[in-house]
């Protein structure tokens, strides 16, 4: 009887190519519940911190993906970075999305604007929400290493 090979676990700082990839990528796909029966997926620009690993997004409060989140303040969901053809990595994550008060997260806001390159999704606009995604589980595929899969310690 054969068993599946053990998947190795890395810290982001120990897998430099993945860390560099996350810095260079601009968008991630997020999936959030919109009600008891539905999930909405969308691609959003992001910024992140490496330690601890957090992803920051801005979206309109009236959007489907933000409807339940605005009501509850936090919801479980998923996030994927690296969904385009030719990407060197795909990072799949499950965790929790939370609405943040931008005035309490000025460093994250400044970093988001720097990476985003413009203020189309202005965090200061009250019709927008600043959202953080905190992964609780993460697995990545390194396409440059024979499609090798690894877990990422989060």
């Amino acid at each position: 009887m054969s068993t599946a090979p053990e998947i190795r676990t890395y810290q982001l700082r120990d897998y430099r190519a993945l860390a560099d990839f996350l810095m260079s990528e601009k968008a991630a796909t997020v999936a959030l519940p919109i009600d008891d029966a539905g999930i909405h997926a969308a691609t959003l620009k992001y910024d992140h911190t490496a330690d601890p690993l957090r992803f920051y997004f801005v979206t309109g409060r009236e959007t489907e993906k933000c409807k339940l989140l605005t009501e509850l303040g936090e919801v479980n969901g998923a996030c994927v970075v690296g969904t385009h053809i030719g990407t060197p990595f795909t990072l799949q994550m499950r965790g929790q999305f939370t609405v943040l008060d931008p005035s309490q997260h000025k460093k994250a806001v400044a970093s988001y604007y720097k990476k985003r390159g413009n203020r189309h999704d202005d965090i200061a606009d009250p019709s927008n929400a600043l959202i953080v995604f905190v992964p609780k589980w993460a697995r990545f595929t390194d396409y440059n290493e024979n499609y090798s899969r690894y877990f990422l310690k989060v």
Side-chain angles (χ1 to χ4, degrees), residues 25-32 40-46 56-60 63 65 78-84 97 112 116 120-121:
E25 278 298 296
K26 295 191 185 306
T29 300
V30 299
L32 293 104
H40 179 74
T43 300
L44 297 172
K45 300 285 185 168
Y46 77 88
Y56 297 90
F57 306 93
V58 175
T59 191
T63 62
K65 66 188 152 300
C79 179
V80 179
V81 180
T83 58
H84 55 86
F97 289 88
Y112 177 89
R116 178 76 167 100
H120 174 74
D121 294 331

Side-chain angles (χ1 to χ4, degrees), residues 66-120:
C66 199
K67 193 184 312 180
L68 190 62
L69 183 57
T70 300
E71 179 184 319
L72 300 178
E74 60 186 31
V75 297
N76 291 324
C79 179
V80 179
V81 180
T83 58
H84 55 86
I85 293 173
T87 188
F89 293 96
T90 297
L91 174 60
Q92 303 170 358
M93 299 169 283
R94 292 188 298 258
Q96 190 168 51
F97 289 88
T98 305
V99 176
L100 298 177
D101 177 350
S103 69
Q104 301 297 310
H105 299 276
K106 293 181 188 278
K107 187 176 177 182
V109 168
S111 185
Y112 177 89
Y113 281 144
K114 183 178 177 184
K115 184 174 183 181
R116 178 76 167 100
N118 67 42
R119 293 188 175 220
H120 174 74

Side-chain angles (χ1 to χ4, degrees), residues 34-63:
I34 55 175
D35 54 32
D36 290 341
I39 295 173
H40 179 74
T43 300
L44 297 172
K45 300 285 185 168
Y46 77 88
D47 189 41
H48 79 288
T49 59
D51 190 16
L53 187 59
R54 304 287 185 264
F55 291 81
Y56 297 90
F57 306 93
V58 175
T59 191
R61 291 183 184 275
E62 79 290 343
T63 62

Side-chain angles (χ1 to χ4, degrees), residues 8 11 18 27 33 41 66 69 72-73 111 130 141:
R8 293 182 64 185
Q11 299 233 0
L18 178 63
C66 199
L69 183 57
L72 300 178
S111 185
L130 174 63
T141 301

